[in-house]
Amino acid sequence: MSGRGYRTFRGGVHPPTHKELSSSKAVTQAPVPAEVVIPLNQHIGAPNVPLVSPGDRVDVGQKIGETEAFVSAPVHSSVAGTVRAVEDVRNFTGAIVRAVVITADAEQPAFAAARMKPVGELTADEIRRLAREGGLVGMGGAAFPTHVKLTPPRDKPVDTVLLNACECEPFLTCDHRLMLERPAHIVEGLKLLVRAVGAERGIIGIEANKMDAVDGLRAAVSSEPGLDVAVLDVKYPEGSEKQLISVVTGRKVPPGMLPGEVGCLVQNVGTSVALYEMASIGKPLYERVVTVTGPGLRSPGNFLAKIGTRISMLIEAAGGWAGEPARLIMGGPMTGWAQEEPVASVVKGTSGVLVLTPELVDARDEHACVRCGKCVEACPMFLMPNYIAEAAIREDWAKAEMYGALDCFECGCCSYTCPAYIPHVSYARKAKAQLAALKKR
Amino acid sequence: MEPAEGRAREKKVPREVSGQAPLLHMGVSPHIRAADTTTRIMGWVIIAVLPLTVYGVYIGGFKAFLVIAMSVIGAVATEAIIQRIRHIPVTISDLSALLTGLLLGLTLPPRLPWWIALMGGVAAIALGKQVFGGLGHNIFNPALVGRAVIFVSYPAYMTTSYLVRGQAFVVNTPTIRALNSVTTATPLFVAGQVRDHQLAVNTARYIGPYLWGNPWGCIGEVSAILILLGLGILLYQGLVDWRIPVCMAGTVVLLSWALGMNPILAAVSGGLLFGACFMATDYVTNPMTAWGKVVFSVGCGLVTVVLRFYSNLPEGVMFAILLMNGFTPMIDRYMKPRPFGHKSVVSQA
């Protein structure tokens, strides 16, 4: 396999990437849906309060949900139209969430670029305010509010900004396309991130299966002091925050701590572009690139989709069902969420819509652990997933904690490699939830 | 939510995707997985010992075939019967019981009466595996448990049923002849006695047969070269950790050498190579972590040498591995890997 022999972390797995399905497809605008369903909460943090009511007219980019709380990010309308309802819907995880449903106008005006202060003159405070106003969150999937990350505590200065361009999840190519098509915007965004936290350097971490993107980014950073590109091994989960920091800087984030603890800030390349767009033309985060791919689709591709677009529309945009679709996933195949029907809507953290066919979904009942140790070898956190699973089965939560359940970030390497089909990740999730409940008591 | 509104939403479920609506299955992440299955792993181990089995039967003849067949039948039938009795799914198709029977058969003398081999297979699964709860739950290597049971039950058969008895190859001295009349399995035993009696014996001349066509060992000890071929297959398939055979055999070779024995003979004689390659590497009964495996296999080597040189057992590999199997849970507990970013393992315990 190509892309080996570069810097990497210990553990992890090498699933086939399948990126060739969509990596050469340029980003195209997905059709504007007749109706968008925009969940008010698309981030980790405090819930938003709707700013609109049924019957209200809204414009593209108009703020429709907000809260006073610091750890939160506002949401904006992705279309010009009329609010039909503010109601509870089921989001892609199956949770019931409040959403603003907007009927889009037949004619959609282009986004009117606002007159902004020159990007080069923005102060750290202004960049943070823009990140918040733009509703920016981590676009790699976790959706943590960006402005919070850009506000490091005074006693923990950040010296290194890492731009996560690994895209280590198989199938996904949305970040790859951004890097190929908009390297200058990525680098401009990175400069803003570096300035916002007063860092000394900004490093773009990218897997070695995207050398075309590496070339473009290297050219874009060549005249920028303090910025660099780090080429990393093709291995999952190279783009996990703690692993990326460790590989690029050699620093280890202690358990339960954030990257700020070791003077680092990690942002996704998509977030970097969104920050640049907000700073340069005042465009909030209301659309994003989504990879719609998999052998269960006729023509996979990368689409610029409005937040709130139902994924059925994206599936249609990718040519509709093909072959024998067996599993529909929002996100990547390692950490994404299976969908029963294509009804959920795209949110800020949606990187992919994936349709797998039966030969890829090898779902069987779990059977006895033979203690082969493959999960221990694969765990990038150096935990013992089989013992966590065993403890969770016996509901021995103290033991699950002893074997590291709380350090698990659910990358799925253990279950991926398990010959006994044990869903360690589910067991670890259960253990984490139980341990959290016990600690609250 | 008012019911009316709920109904209205039901109708709105979009159907704008062309083509037949597929039946989508739910599941938890990760949604893809590597190709390994338990059955595939067991199958590869069987393939790895197959050349050895074929050659062992070729050298040992029909009786050797019968020993292996009976041991396999005993193991597989016992697995099926006990699972029936326990009202749990019968899992003989995962090949694990077949592998246990095969490995046991390979550690038996070729001229062993067939009914002892059958009993070994039954004991391996019943006492070595199912009594602990089945696959993955056993503490001791089932094949070796089966062997140990018949070894202590029928020591005479187990030490005399070889193609050629040890004495035929032993230097013609009264001491050795006297010793061999007690029965001995392999020149190893003789070597131990020779060392004790300060007799100068050129034990190196046994090395050749051990590599290719050992007539005084168990069926699976017939050729060191074929054992290493099997190990090569397992390593190539990524199914065993190299540390275990290397550390176990390495420990035995170095210590034997230090104790005055020909190191190559120490490596190739007796059950060492077979045990180090196919028995100590059993997933279920050795530790999970890399360093745990090192401790385990060095321990196996140490105990093997102690038993070979300082006990009146002719061979120490079986009991060495069984003993270290018993330490596996403890090694796993104390040699837990330190999680990423943890300063010390103490904070976790």
Side-chain angles (χ1 to χ4, degrees), chain A residues 156-189:
Chain A
K156 304 246 168 63
V158 167
D159 63 1
T160 305
V161 174
L162 293 173
L163 213 49
N164 192 347
C166 290
E167 200 163 50
C168 56
E169 272 267 11
F171 287 100
L172 302 185
T173 56
C174 51
D175 289 352
H176 188 184
R177 288 315 306 182
L178 270 183
M179 289 185 270
L180 287 177
E181 296 172 27
R182 305 174 69 178
H185 292 175
I186 290 172
V187 172
E188 286 302 318

Side-chain angles (χ1 to χ4, degrees), chain B:
Chain B
M1 180 82 24
E2 287 110 61
E5 212 177 328
R7 271 203 300 278
R9 263 217 335 277
E10 284 300 306
K11 273 185 233 142
K12 280 206 174 301
V13 170
R15 292 276 177 232
E16 56 249 40
V17 182
S18 53
Q20 178 97 40
L23 180 62
L24 297 171
H25 301 278
M26 296 299 281
V28 291
S29 65
H31 304 282
I32 52 172
R33 51 185 318 292
D36 261 343
T37 65
T38 307
T39 311
R40 186 184 154 272
I41 292 172
M42 299 292 170
W44 270 109
V45 183
I46 291 170
I47 290 170
V49 295
L50 218 50
L52 198 57
T53 311
V54 170
Y55 189 57
V57 168
Y58 171 74
I59 295 288
F62 179 72
K63 279 203 152 183
F65 171 77
L66 202 60
V67 165
I68 291 178
M70 283 299 142
S71 146
V72 167
I73 289 169
V76 174
T78 307
E79 175 110 326
I81 290 167
I82 293 183
Q83 287 177 330
R84 272 286 167 79
I85 294 171
R86 288 178 62 201
H87 297 291
I88 56 174
V90 175
T91 58
I92 53 173
S93 61
D94 72 9
L95 303 181
S96 68
L98 195 156
L99 177 62
T100 300
L102 179 58
L103 287 178
L104 168 65
L106 289 172
T107 63
L108 299 178
R111 301 233 165 119
L112 194 70
W114 63 268
W115 51 273
I116 297 183
L118 185 70
M119 285 183 67
V122 172
I125 295 298
L127 302 177
K129 183 175 170 189
Q130 286 295 338
V131 80
F132 293 101
L135 183 66
H137 299 291
N138 48 297
I139 297 170
F140 303 102
N141 184 318
L144 289 183
V145 169
R147 187 177 198 270
V149 166
I150 54 178
F151 182 84
V152 295
S153 308
Y154 306 99
Y157 283 115
M158 286 294 284
T159 46
T160 57
S161 307
Y162 297 92
L163 296 176
V164 177
R165 292 194 192 174
Q167 62 260 44
F169 282 82
V170 164
V171 281
N172 200 11
T173 68
T175 325
I176 298 295
R177 263 206 303 279
L179 280 168
N180 281 294
S181 62
V182 185
T183 74
T184 178
T186 73
L188 251 191
F189 179 75
V190 180
Q193 304 303 322
V194 164
R195 187 184 54 79
D196 287 349
H197 292 85
Q198 305 293 310
L199 288 175
V201 179
N202 178 17
T203 47
R205 68 192 180 90
Y206 298 122
I207 292 173
Y210 271 123
L211 291 179
W212 190 259
N214 163 17
W216 55 81
C218 300
I219 302 169
E221 292 163 10
V222 68
S223 162
I225 291 171
L226 288 181
I227 292 174
L228 292 177
L229 172 74
L231 178 67
I233 293 173
L234 294 182
L235 288 173
Y236 180 74
Q237 288 291 324
L239 297 179
V240 298
D241 195 315
W242 60 269
R243 291 175 184 88
I244 294 174
V246 168
C247 293
M248 180 171 173
T251 305
V252 171
V253 167
L254 289 179
L255 283 179
S256 304
W257 193 19
L259 289 167
M261 186 177 172
N262 182 318
I264 302 173
L265 184 71
V268 297
S269 63
L272 175 64
L273 276 186
F274 189 88
C277 295
F278 302 120
M279 290 296 191
T281 51
D282 168 36
Y283 284 151
V284 179
T285 53
N286 76 49
M288 306 276 303
T289 62
W291 281 108
K293 288 178 203 290
V294 170
V295 169
F296 168 84
S297 47
V298 168
C300 286
L302 263 171
V303 180
T304 299
V305 170
V306 168
L307 293 181
R308 273 186 177 183
F309 282 83
Y310 302 106
S311 79
N312 55 6
L313 292 168
E315 174 57 300
V317 173
M318 170 177 75
F319 286 116
I321 295 175
L322 283 173
L323 187 75
M324 290 312 293
N325 285 162
F327 282 102
T328 291
M330 204 169 101
I331 295 174
D332 262 353
R333 196 180 167 86
Y334 287 101
M335 302 203 62
K336 201 154 61 73
R338 181 186 304 172
F340 181 96
H342 278 264
K343 288 271 184 292
S344 84
V345 81
V346 180
S347 61
Q348 277 285 292

